Amino acid sequence: MSSVRPAEAWVGFVTTVRKEVVRILRIWAQTILPPVITTTLYFIIFGPILGDRIGQMEGVTYLQYVTPGLIMMAVITNSYQNVVSSFFGAKFQSHVEEMLVSPMPDSAILFGYAIGGVFRGLLVGLMVSLTSLFFAALPVAHPMLTIAVAVLTSVAFSFGGFINALLARNFDDVAIVPTFVLTPLTMLGGVFYSVSLLPEPWRSVSFANPILYMVNAFRYGILGDSDIAIGLSLLILSGFIVLFYVAALLLLKRGTGLRA
Amino acid sequence: MPSAMSTSRASATQPAAPGPGAVPEAAEAPALEIRGLAKTYQRKGSAEKVEALKGIDLEVREGEFYGLLGPNGAGKSTCIGIVTTLVRKSAGKVRVFGVDLDTDPTALKRLIGLVPQEMNFNQFEKPLQIVAQQAGYYGIPWKLAKDRALECLDLMGLLGKKDQVSRSLSGGMKRRLMIARALVHQPRLLILDEPTAGVDIELRRATWELLEKVNRQGTTIILTTHYLEEAEALCRRIAIIDHGLIVENTDTRTLLAKLATETFVLDLATSVAEAPRLDGFRCRLRSDGSLEVDVERGQTLNALFDQLGGRGHQVVSMRNKANRLEELFVRMTEESRRAAGGQDDTAPPLAEGASEGDSPS
């Protein structure tokens, strides 16, 4: 029987969140600025340079069509990247032991880092959204749904980043998933095109990509239009949150990558 | 320790409604009780298994200043790792103030403060942030955590550095920062894994004074060190661990009494051309003109001085050639190694920096 005290666990969780937020803001030139600049370049390319030549897609301008996907891409990448780099850094420098020797429950450690990832993901998402207003009008058809999808997606990928950090043994392992899995899945997840335009079998293959559901749910929240039923998207999103959370917690409890 | 810390520590031991960071009192229980503790590692990339600990027993009483000595790879850090939950044991029992590691690791963690061997704080954070965060991990609310962090930094002489990026601190300051961090939740058992490694002698002495002060205020301390003079100066009881076994576990005085011969270096008022012949004592002339004399157990220094005085030699100062505990340590670990079949995959057991003639008597 373990004598976890809820109030003690809560303070530990808040401390971890505070530490993460301070870190993100302290190194803002690494955490906030680059994704905003990168996405601005996308806006310039797909707006004034290419957008007018492509014309309309699903009844809106091409830039309006890709903007929700670009925002979601920033949210996914930054949520994931924040947790994986911060927690692996703590492992690498061994200061993760500060938490491991304390009475903080594993769930408080996990949620503390995840909320840090959500903070960065949503902050970058907000900055990108504000930047996009200089290039395209965003009607935001379903505001609550838009926020909910952004938050849930950010939570899912923060947990995902935590798993990556636990399993990573070196800095190569930290870069492999974002580079070879996350970026291709995001690029092919309907950010730049509608899956309805794809020929078979690529159209069917695309439905195996979980990021497709997240991008389309977010697009539905902003533009009111989606390739996929919103209920299914939310269901899949929730499923990934549960899956990643359980996996991360089990690995943490086993001490994978942390305890000898 | 500052009075505020002492006061809140006292209140932390009250059985009713303990405050943040407080721990339950388990009357009469040893501070640390280890029974049959074993740890077997699987060597990476092979099926070979390494027994780091071979079923050790250890008991540290409340309030003690206890030394855990051993050569590199003896099993000291594995033992500490298990007690602090950083390493999973293969077998055995660990209890801290009666709290069982297997049944309630969370309660056990509340009782322990750890100063690890390696620097393990975020080098980009500031001392105040590092120490206050550690308090937060122990459930101490932020405002109180900051107050306690300031007290601990003050205690360690780091208050002036509280807002300086810790990467820029000197090695000694970093070590003191880790001690401040370990004390912030007012643990009842403080475990220090080579806390003065690489620290200059002045700072080492200052750290000793500080640890003695913490110990006097009721905190049980377990210390592992390579500086055997440190263990001799601080620890009232000592265990020597080698090849995963406890080869000696007794009080420091009893341990030192086992030493059959001590060698002293004597500086004379006037230099001599050759070593004088002394009845019952082996005496040698050193290259710097001083004398080296072996004193057997049972012989007195008075007899030595009488003989030297009778031959017209005035002794102006004397010191141990080597640390007494070091001589014992070398002997015991060599015996342990012979008993283990002559295997020796460890570094020489001599203390780092404890060179000939450096240890004060």
Side-chain angles (χ1 to χ4, degrees), chain A residues 188 195-210 212-213 228:
Chain A
L188 300 172
V195 285
S196 62
L197 298 174
L198 293 176
E200 288 294 352
W202 301 115
R203 187 169 179 275
S204 297
V205 169
S206 292
F207 286 112
N209 179 359
L212 177 77
Y213 299 89
I228 296 160

Side-chain angles (χ1 to χ4, degrees), chain A residues 156-199:
Chain A
F157 283 93
S158 293
F159 287 148
F162 197 91
I163 294 169
N164 189 169
L166 280 171
L167 297 174
R169 291 182 174 185
N170 51 48
F171 283 100
D172 289 343
D173 295 343
V174 169
I176 283 171
V177 175
T179 307
F180 296 106
V181 179
L182 214 52
T183 304
L185 284 181
T186 310
M187 292 283 189
L188 300 172
V191 172
F192 299 105
Y193 54 84
S194 166
V195 285
S196 62
L197 298 174
L198 293 176

Side-chain angles (χ1 to χ4, degrees), chain B residues 23-295:
Chain B
V23 291
E25 187 87 6
E28 304 298 324
L32 175 65
E33 187 184 3
I34 289 174
R35 295 279 174 257
L37 189 63
K39 175 67 186 178
T40 305
Y41 289 103
Q42 181 115 24
R43 223 184 263 282
K44 273 184 186 170
S46 82
E48 191 189 349
K49 292 189 173 178
V50 180
E51 277 185 285
L53 292 175
K54 300 171 182 171
I56 64 167
D57 295 333
L58 208 62
E59 190 171 303
V60 179
R61 290 188 285 265
E62 182 164 13
E64 271 190 332
F65 205 130
Y66 193 91
L68 190 58
L69 310 184
N72 290 332
K76 304 185 300 288
S77 293
T78 299
C79 182
I80 287 175
I82 291 171
V83 173
T84 55
T85 76
L86 292 172
V87 175
R88 297 194 190 283
K89 62 187 167 68
S90 304
K93 279 279 174 196
V94 175
R95 287 190 193 87
V96 174
F97 293 102
V99 178
D100 194 305
L101 173 67
D102 295 323
T103 55
D104 198 349
T106 306
L108 179 134
K109 287 173 178 180
R110 286 187 196 107
L111 298 161
I112 301 174
L114 173 67
V115 181
Q117 195 173 340
E118 304 294 332
M119 304 288 176
N120 74 339
F121 51 84
N122 189 335
Q123 307 263 335
F124 299 101
E125 290 177 346
K126 296 168 183 174
L128 179 58
Q129 187 186 358
I130 290 168
V131 181
Q133 268 169 200
Q134 188 68 17
Y137 298 148
Y138 281 82
I140 299 167
W142 188 244
K143 193 178 175 311
L144 180 58
K146 274 179 81 173
D147 290 345
R148 282 201 191 169
L150 289 170
E151 286 178 20
C152 289
L153 289 171
D154 191 21
L155 186 70
M156 292 293 144
L158 290 173
L159 200 55
K161 305 284 182 186
K162 68 182 169 65
D163 293 322
Q164 192 171 317
V165 176
S166 56
R167 190 177 44 168
S168 66
L169 298 178
S170 69
M173 287 176 182
K174 286 175 180 173
R175 293 243 166 242
R176 281 184 283 155
L177 173 58
M178 293 205 296
I179 299 175
R181 185 184 62 181
L183 288 172
V184 74
H185 64 284
Q186 299 168 355
R188 291 175 65 191
L189 174 62
L190 180 64
I191 301 176
L192 303 111
D193 196 358
E194 306 203 18
T196 55
V199 171
D200 65 54
I201 188 69
E202 193 181 351
L203 198 56
R204 200 185 311 163
R205 301 277 163 142
T207 307
W208 291 3
E209 282 178 24
L210 189 94
L211 293 176
E212 284 181 317
K213 193 173 170 184
V214 171
N215 180 240
R216 278 198 301 274
Q217 289 178 344
T219 306
T220 308
I221 295 181
I222 298 174
L223 171 84
T224 80
T225 180
H226 270 184
Y227 299 116
L228 301 181
E229 60 169 295
E230 184 166 274
E232 188 179 342
L234 294 173
C235 302
R236 288 190 282 283
R237 285 212 305 145
I238 287 174
I240 296 178
I241 184 168
D242 193 29
H243 283 95
L245 290 168
I246 301 285
V247 296
E248 187 58 76
N249 183 11
T250 185
D251 64 273
T252 310
R253 192 183 291 263
T254 307
L255 192 62
L256 290 171
K258 291 184 178 180
L259 191 63
T261 307
E262 277 187 81
T263 303
F264 292 92
V265 176
L266 310 179
D267 294 316
L268 304 179
T270 53
S271 59
V272 291
E274 61 180 31
R277 288 181 167 277
L278 303 173
D279 294 338
F281 295 97
R282 284 190 301 277
C283 182
R284 297 171 295 280
L285 184 66
R286 287 161 57 98
S287 58
D288 61 356
S290 58
L291 294 179
E292 200 172 286
V293 183
D294 296 333
V295 179

Side-chain angles (χ1 to χ4, degrees), chain A residues 221-259:
Chain A
I222 290 180
L223 302 177
D225 186 40
S226 170
D227 291 340
I228 296 160
I230 186 68
L232 180 62
S233 293
L234 290 175
L235 189 68
I236 287 175
L237 185 48
S238 305
F240 269 94
I241 290 173
V242 173
L243 181 71
F244 285 163
Y245 170 72
V246 171
L249 198 60
L250 284 176
L251 288 170
L252 195 53
K253 281 194 186 302
R254 281 179 53 190
T256 304
L258 297 172
R259 299 180 204 267

Side-chain angles (χ1 to χ4, degrees), chain B residues 296-307:
Chain B
E296 306 280 336
R297 187 164 48 192
Q299 291 182 312
T300 66
L301 291 173
N302 286 344
L304 172 64
F305 289 139
D306 285 347
Q307 288 198 47

